[in-house]
Amino acid sequence: MLTPIKKILRSILLAPVLLVLLFEEWGWEPLARYFTRLAKLPLLAKLESDIKGLPPWAAILVFGVPVIALIPVKLLALYLFGQGHVTLGLILVIGAKITGTAVAARMFQLTEPALMRLAWFARIYIPWKAWKDRVLTQVRQSAPWRAVRETKTRIKIMLGKLWTIPKR
């Protein structure tokens, strides 16, 4: 049994991790699906085919590109914040986060088989994925999660009714 203090500390420490997992749940998969649709364009289809064929060491480099490429964008956002352009800076940070997540999600889908051939990566990723799946299962079974999902479904239905044009 955990003492009350340990339970509180554990909850505090897990909160940021859960936020990342929830962002991944609501952002990573849908954004990756969007990029998958874009891959039907001939140039992107060829690029994705090339990425899938990369050796493990190159797959790591490609997977890291979105992170590195967004550093100048984030620095620009910091500059904008410093110049008093908070709204513009915030829009830039949010846009960069969404774009970076979408690209990273798709790159991971494409490079995962190569990355899993790296023993050290598999040793880290497999337990992480198992832990993440257990945590997400618990979160999905919670009352707040079910309530949010139900509300989201109702909103989608309501918006769907608003956007449908009645036939005459």
Side-chain angles (χ1 to χ4, degrees), residues 29-74:
E29 292 298 325
L31 290 170
R33 279 194 303 274
Y34 174 73
F35 262 71
T36 300
R37 281 187 244 139
L38 282 177
K40 292 178 182 174
L41 299 169
L43 181 63
L44 288 179
K46 170 72 172 115
L47 181 61
E48 285 199 358
S49 175
D50 292 345
I51 290 170
K52 284 179 182 178
L54 290 174
W57 64 268
I60 285 193
L61 293 175
V62 167
F63 183 58
V65 165
V67 175
I68 294 166
L70 288 175
I71 290 172
V73 175
K74 292 176 182 179

Side-chain angles (χ1 to χ4, degrees), residues 1-2 12 17 22-25 30 36 54 58 70 87 89 95 106 115 117 124 132 161 163 165:
M1 290 293 283
L2 292 174
I12 291 170
V17 174
L22 291 176
F23 176 75
E24 179 182 318
E25 177 75 6
T36 300
L54 290 174
L70 288 175
T87 304
R106 188 62 186 149
L115 294 172
R117 292 196 316 253
I124 294 168
K132 182 189 81 154
K161 288 178 183 177
W163 293 114
I165 300 171

Side-chain angles (χ1 to χ4, degrees), residues 15 49 60 87 98-100 107 109 123 153 156:
S49 175
I60 285 193
T87 304
I98 291 170
T99 303
M107 287 300 111
Q109 287 177 336
R123 236 185 352 267
T153 302
K156 274 184 167 180

